[in-house]
Amino acid sequence: MKILVTGGLGFIGSHTVVELQNKGFEVVIVDNCSNSSTEVLKGITAISGKQPIFEEFDLREKNKVQDFFARHTDLIGVIHFAASKAVGESVENPLLYYENNISALVYILQELQKKDTTNFIFSSSCTVYGQADELPITENAPVKEAESPYGNTKQIGEEIIRDTCKVTSNLKAIALRYFNPIGAHPSAEIGELPIGVPQNLIPYITQTAAGLREQLSVFGDNYPTDDGTCIRDYIHVVDLAKAHVIALQRLINDANKSNYEVFNVGTGTGSSVLEVINSFEKVSQKKLNYKIVDRREGDIMSAYANTQKANTELGWKSESSLDDALASAWKWELKIRS
Ligand code: WQD
């Protein structure tokens, strides 16, 4: 069973390729290497003992997308990760984000519409909920006005897939709304490779502990939470990767209830920034240099998932603890600095 994984050299994509190969799927990766490297192929192969097929091209080139699907007629599904994901950059350059994240999606769906039957998994985000009125967040929580062009591309992406599914009964799709993916494969063969100064909490923590950054800034301690810092649902990337394989199996086995479904993928537990720091210090045995600074513009106070739908409908549950995830992130940081 052959699956296309776009963005398969990226952080979540590479971990998903490993889990797919572990379950016997044949994987074709398409990646333009704009935020990844072909070195990742070695890590994937080292873990799973199988080298995925790899094609390097940009999915914004419609003729290349058409040519790809004409050559790979035996694909039974697509997991679409390829996208730009930096919130700040999307505010600076919205058209880049609309082109990267929307055009490629449309071109792929146009090809899938031509097939007799096919399956599609989309990387969506808890960012679609904004600051939800009720916590934990269920899939029925309203989608709030997007705070950034990046967030908007996830909302629009979901709408494009939903509308396409309405008129394409041969297309079955699931959008997975990720909470905060962290960590690395326990083998430390693959992990997150942020380019430049990390914007996300965990790579900033591990780079500070490794001596690359002087000090972590904690963005605000005066939120109305127990310790005053923001709360997020940090999910181990391997658990998240497994959710993709289970979602794909649901589509293949026709266990889906409608041809377009949405699932939250998180742990169900919220952790504050200070709790994350404490957990990191425990598992790494390192004291982290940090200071409290002003709030970061655009940050929401608290977001964590109600995972009941994924638990009961998908039969998926996150397994790793925050400690496990942070220990794997630290092991990976040490490996790439060695
Ligand atoms: C986590 C917490 C910060 C850095 C990201 C994406 C978003 C969505 C979800 C994908 C916050 C605090 C951070 C630092 C800090 N993902 N922090 N110092 O904000 O939840 O958003 O994941 O679709 O689009 O941007 O994640 O890792 O940036 O921040 O104090 O140097 O850590 O304020 O409370 P966030 P994050």
Side-chain angles (χ1 to χ4, degrees), residues 125 150 180 199-201 217-219 230 232 234 296 299:
S125 168
Y150 162 74
N180 289 55
Q199 305 300 311
N200 296 115
L201 179 62
S217 296
V218 173
F219 299 136
C230 293
R232 297 288 185 275
Y234 297 95
R296 178 171 71 177
D299 264 342

